[in-house]
Amino acid sequence: MQDRLFKNPKISVVWDTALADVIGSENPLKVKGVILRNVKTNAMSERSADGVFIAIGHTPSSELVAGQIEMKSSGYIKTAPYSTATSVPGVFAAGDVTDDVYRQAVTAAGQGCMAALEAGHFLAAHAEHRAAAE
Ligand SMILES: Cc1cc2nc3c(=O)[nH]c(=O)nc-3n(C[C@H](O)[C@H](O)[C@H](O)COP(=O)(O)OP(=O)(O)OC[C@H]3O[C@@H](n4cnc5c(N)ncnc54)[C@H](O)[C@@H]3O)c2cc1C
């Protein structure tokens, strides 16, 4: 990925730099640029830009359930094949925390729908069990 990045003449890498602010206009609502801070010198600089995408690394944000649910060594939550069921009954996982292949909004939304339906079925089955026991 780094090699592809460095070879792309349309991309310039700004090292040792953090985003300090986004500059824009309210009417029309539009990004116009960014304020950057060099983390080594604290020097501030400005760059014009038409948009800002925040994308940092490839580590899934699954720490919320770390140690409680079975995960892959890469940190993605494990789910049953063709299902959002996790190793904990009644807990379902969908989207970028579980998908190490596609990682797209549309696949995350589809998995979210699957998780909602599976959670509904799980609750309905438990309600039937409870009713039968009473
Ligand atoms: C730069 C960029 C461009 C992209 N372009 C496209 C594209 O063109 N088309 C496309 O389909 N997909 C695109 N994607 C991917 C898409 O954004 C993701 O696949 C999608 O947002 C995943 O949805 P999600 O709900 O699983 O996770 P997210 O959208 O990441 O939502 C997870 C939420 O959980 C919150 N969260 C995390 N940890 C905790 C915690 N411990 N407690 C409480 N809340 C927590 C986060 O703050 C976040 O709001 C792009 C992604 C990036 C980064």
Side-chain angles (χ1 to χ4, degrees):
M1 197 181 273
Q2 277 193 343
D3 288 343
R4 281 169 52 208
L5 180 86
F6 295 142
K7 280 180 191 156
N8 190 323
K10 292 181 180 172
I11 298 174
S12 62
V13 178
V14 186
W15 299 103
D16 304 317
T17 299
L19 179 69
D21 208 349
V22 179
I23 316 160
S25 62
E26 287 203 6
N27 198 6
L29 194 61
K30 189 178 179 329
V31 169
K32 290 191 163 170
V34 287
I35 305 281
L36 303 174
R37 180 177 62 85
N38 184 299
V39 294
K40 287 188 171 163
T41 63
N42 273 331
M44 307 295 267
S45 62
E46 196 176 318
R47 273 192 172 224
S48 57
D50 293 320
V52 174
F53 295 92
I54 309 291
I56 305 172
H58 285 271
T59 308
S61 303
S62 56
E63 64 281 354
L64 181 68
V65 292
Q68 303 177 68
I69 280 183
E70 205 178 325
M71 293 195 196
K72 298 180 185 174
S73 56
S74 50
Y76 288 89
I77 297 170
K78 264 191 188 173
T79 52
Y82 308 108
S83 166
T84 61
T86 67
S87 59
V88 177
V91 177
F92 302 89
D96 281 12
V97 284
T98 180
D99 177 3
D100 55 357
V101 179
Y102 303 106
R103 288 186 291 249
Q104 295 295 298
V106 67
T107 46
Q111 290 170 7
C113 172
M114 287 168 64
L117 290 170
E118 288 183 293
H121 293 154
F122 177 88
L123 292 172
H126 276 252
E128 280 168 23
H129 280 281
R130 255 204 317 275
E134 285 168 2

Coordinates of all heavy atoms in Angstrom, one line a residue, residues 53-56 61-65 94-99 102-109 111, ligand 1:
F53 N -11.0 13.7 4.6 CA -11.4 12.3 5.0 C -10.5 11.9 6.2 O -9.3 11.9 6.0 CB -11.2 11.3 3.9 CG -12.1 11.6 2.7 CD1 -11.7 12.4 1.7 CD2 -13.4 11.0 2.7 CE1 -12.5 12.7 0.6 CE2 -14.2 11.3 1.6 CZ -13.8 12.1 0.6
I54 N -11.1 11.5 7.3 CA -10.3 11.0 8.4 C -10.1 9.5 8.3 O -11.1 8.7 8.3 CB -10.9 11.3 9.8 CG1 -11.3 12.8 9.9 CG2 -10.0 10.9 10.9 CD1 -10.1 13.8 10.0
A55 N -8.9 9.0 8.1 CA -8.7 7.5 8.0 C -7.4 7.2 8.6 O -6.3 7.6 8.1 CB -8.7 7.1 6.5
I56 N -7.4 6.5 9.7 CA -6.2 6.3 10.5 C -6.1 4.8 10.7 O -6.8 4.2 11.5 CB -6.2 7.0 11.8 CG1 -6.4 8.5 11.6 CG2 -4.8 6.7 12.5 CD1 -6.6 9.3 12.9
S61 N -12.0 -1.0 15.7 CA -12.3 -0.4 17.0 C -13.2 -1.4 17.8 O -14.3 -1.2 18.1 CB -13.1 0.9 16.8 OG -12.4 1.8 16.1
S62 N -12.5 -2.5 18.2 CA -13.3 -3.6 18.9 C -12.9 -3.7 20.3 O -13.3 -4.7 21.0 CB -13.0 -4.9 18.2 OG -11.6 -5.2 18.1
E63 N -12.1 -2.7 20.8 CA -11.6 -2.8 22.2 C -12.8 -2.9 23.2 O -12.6 -3.4 24.3 CB -10.7 -1.7 22.6 CG -11.2 -0.3 22.6 CD -11.3 0.3 21.2 OE1 -10.9 -0.3 20.2 OE2 -11.9 1.4 21.1
L64 N -14.0 -2.4 22.9 CA -15.1 -2.4 23.8 C -15.4 -3.8 24.3 O -15.8 -4.0 25.4 CB -16.3 -1.8 23.0 CG -17.6 -1.6 23.8 CD1 -17.5 -0.6 24.9 CD2 -18.8 -1.3 22.9
V65 N -15.2 -4.8 23.4 CA -15.6 -6.1 23.7 C -14.4 -7.0 23.9 O -14.5 -8.3 23.9 CB -16.6 -6.7 22.7 CG1 -17.9 -6.0 22.8 CG2 -16.1 -6.7 21.3
A94 N -21.6 -6.5 13.5 CA -21.8 -6.1 12.1 C -20.8 -5.0 11.8 O -20.4 -4.2 12.6 CB -23.2 -5.7 11.9
G95 N -20.5 -4.9 10.5 CA -19.7 -3.7 10.0 C -18.2 -3.9 10.1 O -17.7 -5.0 10.2
D96 N -17.6 -2.8 10.2 CA -16.1 -2.8 10.1 C -15.4 -3.5 11.3 O -14.2 -3.8 11.2 CB -15.6 -1.3 10.0 CG -15.7 -0.8 8.6 OD1 -16.4 -1.4 7.8 OD2 -15.1 0.3 8.3
V97 N -16.1 -3.7 12.4 CA -15.5 -4.4 13.5 C -15.4 -5.9 13.3 O -14.6 -6.6 13.9 CB -16.2 -4.2 14.9 CG1 -16.0 -2.9 15.5 CG2 -17.7 -4.6 14.8
T98 N -16.1 -6.3 12.3 CA -16.1 -7.8 12.0 C -15.7 -8.1 10.6 O -15.3 -9.3 10.3 CB -17.5 -8.4 12.3 OG1 -17.5 -9.8 12.1 CG2 -18.6 -7.7 11.5
D99 N -15.7 -7.1 9.7 CA -15.5 -7.4 8.3 C -14.1 -7.0 7.9 O -13.7 -5.9 7.8 CB -16.5 -6.5 7.5 CG -16.3 -6.7 6.0 OD1 -15.5 -7.4 5.5 OD2 -17.0 -6.0 5.3
Y102 N -14.4 -6.6 3.1 CA -15.0 -5.5 2.2 C -14.9 -4.1 2.9 O -14.6 -3.2 2.2 CB -16.5 -5.8 1.9 CG -16.6 -7.2 1.3 CD1 -17.1 -8.3 2.0 CD2 -16.3 -7.4 0.0 CE1 -17.2 -9.5 1.4 CE2 -16.4 -8.6 -0.7 CZ -16.9 -9.7 0.0 OH -17.0 -10.9 -0.6
R103 N -15.2 -4.0 4.1 CA -15.1 -2.7 4.9 C -15.7 -1.6 4.1 O -15.1 -0.5 3.8 CB -13.6 -2.4 5.2 CG -13.0 -3.2 6.3 CD -11.7 -2.8 6.6 NE -10.7 -3.0 5.6 CZ -9.7 -3.9 5.6 NH1 -9.6 -4.7 6.7 NH2 -8.9 -4.1 4.6
Q104 N -17.0 -1.7 3.7 CA -17.7 -0.7 2.9 C -19.0 -0.3 3.7 O -19.5 -1.1 4.4 CB -18.1 -1.2 1.5 CG -16.9 -1.5 0.6 CD -16.1 -0.2 0.3 OE1 -16.6 0.7 -0.3 NE2 -14.8 -0.2 0.7
A105 N -19.4 0.9 3.4 CA -20.6 1.4 4.1 C -21.8 0.5 3.8 O -22.6 0.1 4.6 CB -20.9 2.8 3.7
V106 N -21.9 0.1 2.5 CA -23.1 -0.7 2.1 C -23.1 -2.1 2.7 O -24.1 -2.6 3.1 CB -23.2 -0.7 0.6 CG1 -22.1 -1.4 -0.1 CG2 -24.6 -1.2 0.1
T107 N -21.9 -2.7 2.8 CA -21.8 -4.0 3.4 C -22.1 -3.9 4.9 O -22.7 -4.8 5.5 CB -20.5 -4.7 3.1 OG1 -19.4 -3.8 3.3 CG2 -20.4 -5.3 1.7
A108 N -21.6 -2.8 5.5 CA -21.8 -2.6 7.0 C -23.3 -2.5 7.2 O -23.8 -3.0 8.2 CB -21.0 -1.4 7.5
A109 N -24.0 -1.7 6.4 CA -25.4 -1.5 6.5 C -26.2 -2.8 6.4 O -27.1 -3.1 7.1 CB -25.9 -0.5 5.5
Q111 N -25.0 -5.8 6.9 CA -24.7 -6.7 8.1 C -25.5 -6.1 9.3 O -26.0 -6.9 10.2 CB -23.2 -6.7 8.4 CG -22.4 -7.5 7.4 CD -21.0 -7.3 7.6 OE1 -20.5 -6.7 8.5 NE2 -20.2 -7.8 6.6
Ligands
LIG1 C1 -11.7 7.7 4.1 C2 -12.7 6.6 3.9 C3 -13.5 6.5 2.7 C4 -14.5 5.6 2.6 N1 -15.2 5.5 1.4 C5 -16.2 4.6 1.3 C6 -17.0 4.6 0.1 O1 -16.7 5.4 -0.8 N2 -18.0 3.7 0.0 C7 -18.2 2.8 1.1 O2 -19.2 2.0 0.9 N3 -17.5 2.8 2.2 C8 -16.5 3.7 2.3 N4 -15.7 3.7 3.5 C9 -15.9 2.7 4.5 C10 -17.1 3.0 5.4 O3 -17.0 4.3 5.9 C11 -17.2 2.0 6.5 O4 -17.2 0.7 6.0 C12 -18.5 2.1 7.3 O5 -18.5 3.4 7.9 C13 -18.5 1.1 8.4 O6 -19.6 1.3 9.2 P1 -19.7 0.8 10.7 O7 -21.0 1.3 11.2 O8 -19.3 -0.6 10.8 O9 -18.5 1.6 11.5 P2 -18.3 3.1 11.7 O10 -18.9 3.9 10.7 O11 -16.8 3.3 11.9 O12 -19.0 3.4 13.1 C14 -18.6 2.9 14.3 C15 -18.9 3.9 15.4 O13 -18.7 3.3 16.6 C16 -18.1 4.3 17.4 N5 -17.2 3.6 18.5 C17 -16.1 3.0 18.3 N6 -15.6 2.5 19.5 C18 -16.6 2.8 20.4 C19 -16.7 2.6 21.8 N7 -15.8 1.9 22.5 N8 -17.8 3.0 22.4 C20 -18.8 3.7 21.7 N9 -18.7 4.0 20.4 C21 -17.6 3.5 19.7 C22 -17.2 5.1 16.5 O14 -17.0 6.4 17.0 C23 -18.2 5.2 15.3 O15 -19.1 6.3 15.4 C24 -14.7 4.7 3.7 C25 -14.0 4.8 4.8 C26 -13.0 5.7 5.0 C27 -12.2 5.8 6.3

